[in-house]
């Protein structure tokens, strides 16, 4: 029977560590033992974990110390201590270091991260152990703390709550990696599927390059979308990831939001979602024995899906007398296309409300409705 693999994650309760732990559990719950080390663990526990580990993810570090001396101790010093213990074991344990692009800079934080990198490379050279050093840019994603060390998290938090955001220079270009992309890269390294570059470093792809103004404008669009009903452009990989991040920062009392229901004696019609180029989705509720519609379109087309109740959709081609009928019911989900050039209606033939999901290929434009009344 194959030995169960054990991995150690330092900084396991941090933003990156928490996401990594969760995904490792998702993928390897029955085949991997995860040792989590963080500030509440003792030095003795760390030593025990190092002796048991078959792979080390070293994510712990200091980035908001009270004194600059803490940078050296928490970044270079801790890394050297881990590697000294691993070297003493003589097992050549694979080691992954989460570093920062700040290591290129001549400041206390950058120098401390550079010191940690140098220690990792020296460990690999001395022991022959696989070493994976990632100089990460700014990260964003779920569970990142606002008002700490992530501008994206702070912007998400504030804009989701209608609070002001401060941008001193909107043109500043940010280099960002999404948390899931980082986690996937780290797991690939653990699986032996990553080869460091000629400079010794490993890369996370993609790196999104966006200005601060683009980030703030996009987040503001997300907030306003609850009123406009416009869906973000999910074909844009960065927008898709940023939207997921934004939603993770919503106040828990504000996950839901109301829609405007247009009601009368026949029932209601409510717009649900709109897109910039893929039309809109609405919800139509018809009271028992009510008929809605009796109109046709030149170019606008629709899809009807009855999800509750029962009814009939009728069509008549313009200029002809033959009526075509389709029985519809929530008991058998079936989409009915509404072709152009056919006047059509939908009648609730049951004794309870009939609920229909409707998609139109264009968002409603009151100036150009392309809707013409005509009895079926």
């Amino acid at each position: 029977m194959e030995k169960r693999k054990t991995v150690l994650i330092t900084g396991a309760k941090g933003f990156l560590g928490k996401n990594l732990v969760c995904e490792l559990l998702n993928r390897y719950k029955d085949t991997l033992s995860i040792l989590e080390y963080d500030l509440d663990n003792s030095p003795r526990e760390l030593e025990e974990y190092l002796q048991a580990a078959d792979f080390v993810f070293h994510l712990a570090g200091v980035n908001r110390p009270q004194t600059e001396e803490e940078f050296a101790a928490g970044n270079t010093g801790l890394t050297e201590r881990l590697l000294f213990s691993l070297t003493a074991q003589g097992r050549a344990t694979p080691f992954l270091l989460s570093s920062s692009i700040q290591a290129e800079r001549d400041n206390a934080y950058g120098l401390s991260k550079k010191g940690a990198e140098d220690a990792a490379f020296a460990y690999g050279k001395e022991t022959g152990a696989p070493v994976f050093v990632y100089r990460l840019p700014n990260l964003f994603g779920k569970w990142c703390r606002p008002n700490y060390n992530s501008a994206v998290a702070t912007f998400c938090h504030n804009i989701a709550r209608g609070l002001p955001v401060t941008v001193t220079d909107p043109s500043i270009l940010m280099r960002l990696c999404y948390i899931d992309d980082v986690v996937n890269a780290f797991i690939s390294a653990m699986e032996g599927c990553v080869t460091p570059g000629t400079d010794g470093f490993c890369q996370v792809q993609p790196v999104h390059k966006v200005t601060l103004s683009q980030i703030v404008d996009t987040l503001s669009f997300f907030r306003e979308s609850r009123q406009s009903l416009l869906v973000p452009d999910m074909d844009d990989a960065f927008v898709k990831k940023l939207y997921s991040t934004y939603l993770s920062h919503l106040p828990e009392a504000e996950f839901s939001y109301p829609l405007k229901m247009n009601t009368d004696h026949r029932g209601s019609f409510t717009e649900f979602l709109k897109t910039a180029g893929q039309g809109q989705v609405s919800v139509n509720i018809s009271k028992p024995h009510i008929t809605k519609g009796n109109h046709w379109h030149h170019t606008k087309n629709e899809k009807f899906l009855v999800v509750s109740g029962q009814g009939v959709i009728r069509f008549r081609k313009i200029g002809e007398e033959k009526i075509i009928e389709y029985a519809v019911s929530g008991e058998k989900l079936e989409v009915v296309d509404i072709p152009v050039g056919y006047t059509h209606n939908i009648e609730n033939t049951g004794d309870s409300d009939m609920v229909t999901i409707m998609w139109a290929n264009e968002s409603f434009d009151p100036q150009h409705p392309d809707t013409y009344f005509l009895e079926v």
Side-chain angles (χ1 to χ4, degrees):
M1 185 175 181
E2 187 175 352
K3 177 180 176 291
R4 189 181 181 95
K5 190 172 184 177
T6 299
V7 301
L8 165 61
I9 301 175
T10 69
K13 294 182 180 179
F15 167 49
L16 180 49
K18 183 176 179 180
N19 277 275
L20 178 60
V21 168
C22 286
E23 186 56 20
L24 286 173
L25 289 173
N26 287 339
R27 300 191 197 185
Y28 308 106
K29 182 179 180 180
D30 298 324
T31 59
L32 194 69
S33 296
I34 302 174
L35 303 174
E36 301 180 39
Y37 174 81
D38 214 287
L39 294 174
D40 54 353
N41 293 103
S42 67
R44 180 176 179 180
E45 285 177 304
L46 177 59
E47 188 63 33
E48 292 173 353
Y49 292 169
L50 287 167
Q51 292 176 8
D54 299 305
F55 192 100
V56 176
F57 294 97
H58 181 35
L59 315 181
V62 173
N63 54 23
R64 283 286 185 99
Q66 293 183 346
T67 65
E68 288 193 351
E69 289 72 19
E70 292 179 55
F71 279 132
N75 294 323
T76 305
L78 177 59
T79 303
E80 290 175 340
R81 183 154 62 107
L82 297 178
L83 296 172
F84 178 82
S85 178
L86 291 175
T87 301
Q89 296 176 27
R91 291 197 301 130
T93 304
F95 186 82
L96 184 149
L97 173 67
S98 170
S99 187
S100 167
I101 56 174
Q102 295 293 322
E104 301 171 353
R105 299 190 177 185
D106 186 19
N107 57 44
Y109 177 65
L111 292 172
S112 69
K113 298 302 281 188
K114 179 64 165 59
E117 294 175 354
D118 291 343
F121 289 132
Y123 164 74
K125 185 176 181 179
E126 179 180 351
T127 65
V131 169
F132 309 94
V133 177
Y134 288 82
R135 277 188 174 176
L136 299 175
N138 294 284
L139 306 184
F140 70 107
K142 65 184 182 300
W143 304 330
C144 191
R145 289 169 57 185
N147 303 307
Y148 184 60
N149 65 341
S150 168
V152 173
T154 302
F155 291 161
C156 286
H157 175 88
N158 286 13
I159 290 174
R161 289 159 178 76
L163 301 174
V165 296
T166 301
V167 180
T168 54
D169 184 355
S171 67
I172 290 177
L173 188 67
M174 298 282 286
R175 296 177 63 222
L176 299 167
C177 279
Y178 185 56
I179 189 63
D180 289 2
D181 296 327
V182 177
V183 166
N184 287 334
F186 283 10
I187 292 177
S188 292
M190 181 194 74
E191 293 173 337
C193 301
V194 171
T195 301
T198 55
D199 59 358
F201 295 98
C202 303
Q203 304 295 325
V204 175
Q205 295 293 337
V207 177
H208 302 282
K209 299 177 182 179
V210 290
T211 64
L212 287 177
S213 63
Q214 288 175 309
I215 295 171
V216 172
D217 290 347
T218 304
L219 291 173
S220 298
F221 172 86
F222 296 161
R223 177 174 172 80
E224 293 162 3
S225 68
R226 286 187 163 190
Q227 283 71 49
S228 69
L229 304 183
L230 282 169
V231 177
D233 179 11
M234 296 302 177
D235 279 339
D236 186 311
F238 174 71
V239 170
K240 178 181 178 181
K241 296 167 184 176
L242 187 62
Y243 187 58
S244 296
T245 303
Y246 171 78
L247 292 181
S248 74
H249 286 276
L250 286 175
E252 292 183 354
E254 297 180 23
F255 286 178
S256 68
Y257 58 100
L259 297 174
K260 180 185 177 183
M261 298 180 66
N262 302 290
T263 60
D264 58 25
H265 68 282
R266 302 173 302 163
S268 66
F269 180 81
T270 305
E271 294 177 321
F272 172 33
L273 296 174
K274 295 181 180 181
T275 71
Q278 305 301 321
Q280 72 175 53
V281 178
S282 305
V283 180
N284 182 76
I285 299 177
S286 299
K287 295 295 183 183
H289 313 297
I290 287 294
T291 299
K292 290 186 176 184
N294 285 318
H295 60 237
W296 64 282
H297 315 288
H298 282 299
T299 304
K300 178 187 293 184
N301 56 82
E302 301 163 295
K303 293 180 182 288
F304 289 2
L305 173 63
V306 171
V307 296
S308 180
Q310 65 181 43
V312 60
I313 300 175
R314 299 184 180 89
F315 299 89
R316 180 171 63 83
K317 194 174 186 178
I318 302 304
E320 298 184 2
E321 296 183 358
K322 183 177 70 172
I323 295 176
I324 304 165
E325 295 188 351
Y326 283 83
V328 289
S329 168
E331 297 298 316
K332 181 185 178 183
L333 297 186
E334 186 173 2
V335 177
V336 178
D337 274 317
I338 311 298
V340 298
Y342 285 81
T343 187
H344 52 275
N345 63 31
I346 181 168
E347 178 186 358
N348 182 348
T349 58
D351 296 322
S352 60
D353 286 355
M354 180 176 65
V355 181
T356 307
I357 305 299
M358 296 180 171
W359 171 85
N361 69 324
E362 60 185 40
S363 294
F364 179 69
D365 181 357
Q367 301 302 317
H368 303 91
D370 188 12
T371 300
Y372 306 94
F373 176 80
L374 184 65
E375 291 277 0
V376 174

